[in-house]
Amino acid sequence: MLDYTSTQHTVRAAGHSTNLHRVGKGTPVVLLHGSGAGVSAWANWRKVLEPLSANFDVIAPDIAGFGATEMKPDTKYNIMLWVEHFVGILDELGLEKVSVVGNSFGGALGLMTAINHPERIERLVLLGTPCGHFPLTDGLRAQGEFDGTMESMRRAIGYFPYDPAFVTEDLIQARFEAATRDGALEAFRKLMPPPEGDNPIVRGIPEKLLRNVKHKALILHGREDRVVPYERALDMHQWLEASQLHSFGKCGHWVQIEREAEFLKLVKDFLGGET
């Protein structure tokens, strides 16, 4: 099994010292992590890096402000800055065109890159990705309400999987330590402020923009997702011209973890890796 340090590299992109993991050979595929306290590329993708590396050149970066990548106190973090950072990573690595596998926020980042830099993206795999607008879910509220305590971390992570057995004490501890290291909580507050108001609305990528995306896309979504509702996947499938949808029963927000074997087969087949 790969370990953290064996795949770890540092590059500079969009003015940020950027941590990433890279392993394998072949067609380049970038894995983009989600958001949430204590998140990182390694936390999201560590179990699938090695299996995917048998078919692809796999790159899994910590996006600006997350994980071990630099967080600049005077920088405004938004989707366009993250797109710039992602494209900067590709430039630094000399990658003209890549496929993207994006989890939640990472899927939205992949889509916005496809919208703004269509020539840099080959195909898209979108896991639990928000689109359109919808009422704030309890799962998203719990992420924004993380307050640096173990209890709030346990609650936040508990919303991700359908089966609570996936939330182990080791996982909670690892995410808690990452979320509470020096400066991490302050950084997280800037990236994901607490929800405001009685009925806040989440605004994902709108239909008008998604209808302009021509790339082939594979949408993977858990039917019992309590973070980004399954209905978002149905809408996205309608709006993306060249999409296919695969849904998973008794599955929450972590398709790549909860349905690892099926995830790997679907992704390898869709992205065209050698078998």
Side-chain angles (χ1 to χ4, degrees):
M1 181 68 182
L2 296 171
D3 63 35
Y4 184 91
T5 56
S6 69
T7 62
Q8 189 178 21
H9 305 269
T10 302
V11 299
R12 192 148 192 90
H16 288 73
S17 177
T18 300
N19 181 70
L20 61 85
H21 303 274
R22 190 174 192 180
V23 64
K25 294 181 180 179
T27 303
V29 174
V30 180
L31 311 182
L32 297 177
H33 61 74
S35 59
V39 76
S40 67
W42 187 254
N44 262 192
W45 305 114
R46 66 189 183 280
K47 292 184 68 179
V48 300
L49 275 171
E50 189 166 16
L52 288 175
S53 73
N55 302 81
F56 306 104
D57 174 11
V58 184
I59 302 102
D62 288 343
I63 297 303
F66 293 96
T69 289
E70 187 176 6
M71 170 80 175
K72 292 178 174 291
D74 57 346
T75 295
K76 182 178 180 180
Y77 289 89
N78 55 34
I79 193 64
M80 296 316 297
L81 182 280
W82 286 314
V83 168
E84 179 187 354
H85 180 240
F86 177 33
V87 172
I89 293 170
L90 301 185
D91 290 344
E92 182 67 21
L93 297 177
L95 298 172
E96 291 297 323
K97 197 169 192 176
V98 300
S99 289
V100 167
V101 181
N103 176 218
S104 195
F105 157 77
L109 175 53
L111 280 166
M112 283 304 295
T113 306
I115 290 165
N116 287 278
H117 302 276
E119 75 286 354
R120 306 303 296 269
I121 303 299
E122 184 66 48
R123 294 189 176 196
L124 294 158
V125 180
L126 307 167
L127 290 72
T129 298
C131 69
H133 61 273
F134 56 97
L136 184 74
T137 60
D138 290 342
L140 282 173
R141 181 181 293 278
Q143 311 314 309
E145 290 178 343
F146 174 70
D147 61 5
T149 64
M150 183 68 80
E151 291 74 17
S152 64
M153 176 58 75
R154 189 182 304 276
R155 180 170 180 271
I157 293 182
Y159 278 100
F160 285 126
Y162 171 79
D163 183 350
F166 282 100
V167 181
T168 64
E169 290 303 313
D170 286 346
L171 174 62
I172 294 170
Q173 185 63 37
R175 289 284 291 254
F176 178 75
E177 289 176 3
T180 55
R181 70 185 191 279
D182 288 348
L185 184 58
E186 292 78 7
F188 177 68
R189 277 283 159 264
K190 293 180 181 180
L191 298 170
M192 196 170 184
E196 296 180 358
D198 293 332
N199 298 294
I201 297 296
V202 177
R203 301 193 182 279
I205 300 176
E207 175 183 355
K208 181 178 179 180
L209 291 181
L210 292 178
R211 288 194 179 276
N212 290 325
V213 175
K214 307 303 180 185
H215 304 73
K216 290 184 177 180
L218 172 63
I219 302 166
L220 305 177
H221 212 110
R223 188 182 62 197
E224 284 76 34
D225 192 331
R226 294 181 292 166
V227 180
V228 176
Y230 174 59
E231 289 74 19
R232 300 301 94 220
L234 297 176
D235 284 342
M236 186 175 291
H237 184 37
Q238 293 292 324
W239 300 341
L240 290 176
E241 179 180 292
S243 67
Q244 53 183 286
L245 169 63
H246 191 104
S247 59
F248 300 83
K250 295 185 177 181
C251 181
H253 194 59
W254 278 345
V255 169
Q256 78 277 23
I257 296 172
E258 298 176 75
R259 293 290 187 272
E260 181 184 341
E262 295 152 282
F263 164 83
L264 288 168
K265 184 179 188 310
L266 286 164
V267 169
K268 288 179 179 181
D269 288 348
F270 178 72
L271 297 182
E274 296 177 1
T275 58

